[in-house]
Structure formats: C-alpha cells, structure tokens
Amino acid sequence: MTDRTTEITAFLHGAGWEDAARMPLAGDASLRRYVRLVRSDARAILMDAPPGTGEDVRPFLEIAEWLSRNGASAPEILASDIEAGLLLLEDLGDDLLARHATRSPEKEPDLYAEAARLLVELHRPEPPDRPSYLDEMPELAATVVDWYAPDARAHRGVIRDALADVVDRHLTGGEVFVHRDYHAENLLWLPDRRGTARIGVLDFQDAMRGPAEYDLASLIHDPRRTVAEAAVAAATRAYLDASGANAETTATRIAICSVQRSLRIIGRVFTRLCLHSGRTSYLRFIPPTWAALQRELRHPALAPVRRVLDGLLPEPDARWLADVEARAGTLHGRDHAGAE
C-alpha cells in the first residue's frame, strides 16, 4: 500500500468506517478527491485533500460550521484529521439542483427561487472572518489575459484598473458571505428538511466576504447549464422580495459581478485547467461563458470595461478551441501562457 492509502485506512479505522465499501465520486477543479462510503444502510463521504498538493481542509471546516450555525444545510463533519487532510462528511445525497431541474423542468423556477432566498438568509448574519473579495476582483478579472489571451498581456493593468473603477463606483456598501461558486451543481435539493435548509450547500471552502449579488450572478449566469428564463426571473424576484433591494441597482451589480466572474473563469479556471493540467473537459464551458460576458458587457455601467476589452480577447470559436485542446497540458509548471 502507498503511504496515502495507509493514512486513509488508519483514518477510516479510527472513525469506525474501515469495513465500508468505497465508491469514487466525480471531483471538481481542485486536487481534492471524494469517495462515498457505504455499509449496510449507512453512508458517508470521505474527502481526501492531500496537504502536499497545497490543499487545506481548515477553511472547509470553518465555513461548514458557519453555514450550519446560520441555518444552511452543509455536510455535518463526522470525523477529521486536519494534518492528514482527511474529513469524513455527512452524505447529503446526489439530488443536485442541476439534476433535479433537468429531470423536472417545471420545478426549476421554484428550485432557483429557493436557492436565492437562502442567499438572502446567509447575508443577514455577520460574515465569517474571511478576506474581502472586493479587494481581489479587479486583479482576478485581469488574469483573463494570462491564459486565455496572452497576446494581450501588455493590457493587463488597463483591464484591472477599468474593472477597479467600476467596482469602486457601484459595488459599495457592506460585505456579506460569498460562496464564490454558487451554482446548481454545488447545491442539493433536500425536500425532507424545512425552509431554506432544503438547499444543501457544497464546495464552499473558498468562500470570502464580498458583494451580495455575486452569488446570485453565479446562480443565474451558469456556464455549466442553460438556466431557463423563468428560473432566472424567479430567482431574481425571490431575491428582491426577500432582501428589499432596488431592482435597477441589483441588476447593475449583478452585471458587474457576472462580468468579473466570466473574465476570471474563462482564463484562470477553464483555459488554465486545459493548458496547465490537461483537463480538456472544461473547454466546453468557455463558449457559454463568453456569451454571458458579451451580454453583460452591454450594461451601461460596464462601458469603461467594454471599451478596454474591445478587440483584445479572441472569440472562442471552433478553431480557437481546437488549438487550445491540441496544447492541453503543455504549459504545466508555467505561471501564465506567455511564460518561457
């Protein structure tokens, strides 16, 4: 057995789950690994986050405790070995909002409305002691040129400054809990629970403090699936009704958050995962993210950013996608696509 296998076996033995059947689950964009454990009629989830890869389970533990304390359904922590990067979690099941909405499209508006109402509830308490995402938004938006458009890296600072001016002007006010990846494949439908606890929350370890509309933008502008217009409207209306926010101001802030998110994930996430790590499956998310970016850039508040980006970024057409796929994994170890 490898050293890691020995560590996991010892951890499961100490937790009383060493005799459970193990079924690997699909992972995410990180180096964490998830395994479903089954014994008789009991189930749990093993999170394997090797510290040697840069993973750290402490943020997950801290945010899980904060979410549970504030009425959300985060997985209960059944056992932990922080130094080894191993957690045993409550198994909340497989009924992701994305799957449920696809299986029962007539329920999609209600599901998205419920997810939006949960956001408002999570914005009421003092946010967890996490860094401010507002401080990082402009710089992370500018990383689009590091991987997606390296020929435009000379314009990196101009992109950052344009986004910073828009953020400073429009994303004012207090900061709240921001999941930062709040979408239908990180949310579960738990109909046996009550109120907003019917929405289970996953993959929250990167949460920060930030603008209230950021997670709503992630929910309704989701590159992983086409969100029905009725669901977008239902989520937006539920958010406005529950928060009492102004509709026009909220629309402006959603557009800004959506543009920043689209720029970041096109370059720093989807393109980088292909070129750096060889994970070509993420390329399929770039065209819908590009479409959302072009749509939201038309908002008047984003005119300064639109002017800066005009002509800088290539359209992710079939030729561009094929070229990037052909170079999958060739830039491993690089800081950006233009690095020597």
Side-chain angles (χ1 to χ4, degrees), residues 63-270:
I63 300 300
E65 191 277 332
W66 186 90
L67 287 168
S68 298
R69 189 172 72 248
N70 288 290
S73 289
E76 180 185 352
I77 310 300
L78 306 177
S80 65
D81 185 334
I82 294 174
E83 297 305 316
L86 295 168
L87 300 179
L88 189 64
L89 309 174
E90 174 189 11
D91 187 347
L92 293 176
D94 296 314
D95 202 5
L96 298 173
L97 252 65
R99 294 178 186 170
H100 197 77
T102 299
R103 187 172 62 247
S104 305
E106 74 281 0
K107 297 180 180 178
E108 184 175 352
D110 289 339
L111 293 171
Y112 272 72
E114 198 66 34
R117 282 189 282 269
L118 173 58
L119 281 179
V120 176
E121 290 303 311
L122 294 178
H123 294 166
R124 299 190 195 283
E126 183 70 20
D129 184 18
R130 306 291 291 165
S132 168
Y133 192 50
L134 278 169
D135 296 340
E136 299 185 15
M137 289 177 72
E139 175 66 23
L140 288 175
T143 61
V144 66
V145 297
D146 291 346
W147 293 94
Y148 181 81
D151 290 345
R153 290 198 82 240
H155 300 272
R156 196 179 192 280
V158 179
I159 296 171
R160 181 193 61 233
D161 293 347
L163 203 286
D165 288 344
V166 171
V167 167
D168 290 345
R169 179 172 300 196
H170 295 283
L171 299 188
T172 56
E175 294 179 304
V176 299
F177 166 86
V178 177
H179 182 293
R180 293 208 301 140
D181 211 13
Y182 194 84
H183 59 77
E185 291 189 4
N186 280 337
L187 303 172
L188 291 156
W189 180 238
L190 306 173
D192 293 337
R193 302 192 181 189
R194 300 185 63 182
T196 51
R198 292 180 296 177
I199 299 293
V201 186
L202 305 174
D203 202 22
F204 43 72
Q205 61 281 335
D206 294 326
M208 300 177 76
R209 294 179 293 110
E213 295 78 9
Y214 189 88
D215 283 344
L216 182 59
S218 301
L219 179 68
I220 62 178
H221 298 160
D222 184 354
R224 296 163 183 80
R225 67 184 307 269
T226 301
V227 182
E229 285 300 319
V232 172
T236 305
R237 175 48 54 194
Y239 178 87
L240 293 171
D241 289 347
S243 66
N246 175 271
E248 184 176 350
T249 300
T250 297
T252 298
R253 291 167 64 100
I254 287 174
I256 295 167
C257 291
S258 183
V259 163
Q260 189 275 342
R261 177 175 167 79
S262 293
L263 290 170
R264 178 181 68 85
I265 63 177
I266 282 176
R268 187 178 175 88
V269 182
F270 298 150

